[in-house]
Amino acid sequence: MNNVYPAFNYQQMIELHHNNAAIKFLFLPYMAMGEEVIAALRMHPEVVIIAQSNHDNRVGEYRGMIQEIMTEGLTNPVVIFMFQNENDKEDMQLKAAADMGALIFDGLCDGIFLLNQGKIGIEEVDATAFGILQAGRVRTSKTEYISCPGCGRTLYDLQDTIAKIKNATSHLKGLKIGIMGCIVNGPGEMADADYGYVGAARGKVSLYKKKECIEKNIPEEEAVNRLIDLIKKNGDYTEK
Ligand code: SF4
């Protein structure tokens, strides 16, 4: 591993000073963070640190490294690098999400870099990385659905409606759609959604754009199509 992604050394420091690229990346393990490295990073705040760890407790080591970066007052962006050698997609996803998710939720990194050299396609690895960023609420790249679990107050067939809305919108990028069974708690629970589909009365639905109610009491049979029309009218829809 260290042969592929070498620790910071004198040659790299020379390259840092003489490299005129707009963005510079530096692979950096915690153990390599000596005085010279810290001084070089202070002189080059544009350098993006690719934090690297092979420790058994990677999260602990990353935390230690970022703590030191903060203590030194360095402002270089930090990307967490994770190398895996998994052949099972679920194993890759769980390990990446557990390690990187913890650091994202604590606000300790500016990006993630996931590399898997097992038999999992690059598309799956990319999808996992984007999924982790979206779950960590730092980058939304696919449609997200916020729905209530349903209860005695639900005013329409929630499961069937969720399936229809997903079928019509899952290809869109970066939208949040709230699907709520009733008006009592619905608008409050989906407060950060871009669009909302909320039960208004038995068999009737109201549609929201952000927090504003745009259409009231639409018959349930028409409501999914009217939601799509509303998304189109606001320029947020692309054809499949
Ligand atoms: S939003 Fe309404 S229907 Fe959904 S769980 Fe809350 S109270 Fe029940």
Side-chain angles (χ1 to χ4, degrees), residues 77-132:
V78 178
V79 171
I80 300 295
F81 173 66
M82 183 169 182
F83 169 76
Q84 293 182 300
N85 201 0
E86 301 292 341
N87 295 320
D88 181 89
K89 187 172 88 176
E90 210 166 88
D91 283 347
M92 184 268 292
Q93 290 173 331
L94 286 171
K95 288 175 188 174
D99 282 6
M100 293 176 154
L103 298 162
I104 290 171
F105 278 123
D106 285 351
L108 296 179
C109 62
D110 300 284
I112 58 175
F113 178 179
L114 185 55
L115 175 67
N116 185 69
Q117 291 192 334
K119 294 178 188 155
I120 300 168
I122 183 68
E123 302 80 16
E124 298 287 359
V125 178
D126 279 351
T128 299
F130 279 112
I132 291 170

Side-chain angles (χ1 to χ4, degrees), residues 148-169:
C148 74
C151 70
R153 288 180 169 144
T154 306
L155 293 164
Y156 58 86
D157 184 338
L158 192 59
Q159 297 314 318
D160 187 50
T161 303
I162 291 172
K164 283 184 189 157
I165 293 176
K166 280 190 174 177
N167 188 37
T169 61

